[in-house]
Amino acid sequence: MRREWARNFVGKHPLFRKTHSDNGVPWQQNIYYLWWEYLRRHEGYRKTCEKGGKGAYAKLYADFGNIHDCDFKTWWRANGVRLFAEPPSPVGVWALSNEETLELIEQGRDDNTLIVAIPLDYKRRSIMQGINRILTESQTRKRGEKRIKTSKAPYPLAQAFDVMALKVTLECYDLRKANPNMTLWQIAQKVGVSDRLTAAELASNDATAKDKKYSMTAGVSRKLRNAAAIIDNVGRGVFAKAG
């Protein structure tokens, strides 16, 4: 039976039926879903999509396609692995055939996969000593350490991410776009950016309420700046970077 290579992701992949797995999360909580959502807010990319891939973002369109003409599930299944997966790697410890060795090399071996030559006429003790030495030299990444900095995906994640913070930031951005006359503290009150004003504080508008409004306004203002920067960067194929 022909063995398949695993395609892993630095961020967990989206789940559309299950609610949990070791390597997946519900799609609404997925970092690649947010990548897709933020790119949908990019006005220049939207115009390129409307022109069938022609325009200032034609190069990015060649990879991501029209993200406005389908839902995330359809788009992900057509593009997710190709854009975001790490190079192929085996799912276990195998003795590779000549064909499998060549295939792994041709597909672009993951840096976390080693191809080792073992002379079977050596004593087992010598073989194990050699393997242990190779593992000591090669396993430089600590267990559980994020692979963001070493990612070899065509479109790697730019930095460590907080899915909930990115969702709240996008919610503030969307609410501001839909309601330009809404004050920033009102956006914070609705989204829950910080502690909400109580009914009593809303009614009194005393010094405590005013201080809260000031803090809420500053918080939303910061998130709106971050949203604009993330959207700008995602148009360059970089996510999720606010700076």
Side-chain angles (χ1 to χ4, degrees), residues 41-72:
R41 295 340 186 253
H42 195 286
E43 185 63 22
Y45 193 77
R46 182 186 64 79
K47 291 179 180 178
T48 295
C49 289
E50 291 174 349
K51 296 176 182 177
K54 296 179 181 179
Y57 296 88
K59 184 176 180 180
L60 191 65
Y61 181 93
D63 288 334
F64 282 75
N66 190 344
I67 60 172
H68 293 280
D69 69 350
C70 61
D71 59 19
F72 174 69

Side-chain angles (χ1 to χ4, degrees), residues 27-39 72 162-164 166-167 170 239:
W27 64 271
Q28 301 96 326
Q29 309 300 325
N30 184 259
I31 188 63
Y32 301 112
Y33 166 66
L34 288 173
W35 189 319
W36 182 81
E37 283 284 13
Y38 271 88
L39 185 55
F72 174 69
D162 182 331
V163 167
M164 186 55 64
L166 287 168
K167 290 188 72 172
L170 189 60
F239 187 78

Side-chain angles (χ1 to χ4, degrees), residues 13-225:
H13 63 78
L15 299 173
F16 298 102
R17 292 185 180 179
K18 296 181 180 179
T19 58
H20 176 75
S21 76
D22 290 341
N23 297 311
V25 293
W27 64 271
Q28 301 96 326
Q29 309 300 325
N30 184 259
I31 188 63
Y32 301 112
Y33 166 66
L34 288 173
W35 189 319
W36 182 81
E37 283 284 13
Y38 271 88
L39 185 55
R40 283 167 62 88
R41 295 340 186 253
H42 195 286
E43 185 63 22
Y45 193 77
R46 182 186 64 79
K47 291 179 180 178
T48 295
C49 289
E50 291 174 349
K51 296 176 182 177
K54 296 179 181 179
Y57 296 88
K59 184 176 180 180
L60 191 65
Y61 181 93
D63 288 334
F64 282 75
N66 190 344
I67 60 172
H68 293 280
D69 69 350
C70 61
D71 59 19
F72 174 69
K73 181 178 179 181
T74 301
W75 180 85
W76 173 263
R77 289 184 169 174
N79 301 286
V81 170
R82 178 176 57 82
L83 297 177
F84 305 119
E86 298 300 308
S89 62
V91 294
V93 180
W94 300 344
L96 299 179
S97 66
N98 291 340
E99 180 182 2
E100 287 171 333
T101 302
L102 291 173
E103 181 182 0
L104 183 58
I105 293 171
E106 288 173 357
Q107 289 189 22
R109 174 176 62 87
D110 188 328
D111 287 348
N112 289 310
T113 300
L114 281 177
I115 299 175
V116 180
I118 300 176
L120 296 178
D121 56 345
Y122 275 35
K123 292 181 179 180
R124 180 181 292 269
R125 181 179 178 181
S126 297
I127 292 173
M128 295 309 300
Q129 286 176 340
I131 290 175
N132 288 332
R133 186 187 71 254
I134 291 170
L135 290 176
T136 299
E137 294 171 352
S138 303
Q139 287 185 317
T140 56
R141 188 168 61 91
K142 296 178 181 179
R143 184 177 179 84
E145 184 180 347
K146 294 293 185 181
R147 296 173 59 187
I148 290 176
K149 292 183 179 179
T150 60
S151 175
K152 296 296 189 298
Y155 285 90
L157 291 163
Q159 59 189 33
F161 55 87
D162 182 331
V163 167
M164 186 55 64
L166 287 168
K167 290 188 72 172
V168 170
T169 296
L170 189 60
E171 191 174 352
C172 289
Y173 178 86
D174 286 345
L175 199 55
R176 181 65 167 175
K177 283 288 185 180
N179 304 275
N181 295 323
M182 197 174 189
T183 64
L184 299 190
W185 74 262
Q186 287 174 325
I187 292 175
Q189 180 81 353
K190 185 174 182 63
V191 175
V193 170
S194 57
D195 290 341
R196 289 182 170 93
L197 290 162
T198 65
E201 288 169 336
L202 284 170
S204 68
N205 197 31
D206 58 13
T208 299
K210 288 179 180 178
D211 285 344
K212 263 193 176 182
K213 287 180 180 180
Y214 178 82
S215 177
M216 294 163 78
T217 296
V220 170
S221 178
R222 186 164 52 250
K223 288 194 176 297
L224 291 176
R225 289 196 303 271

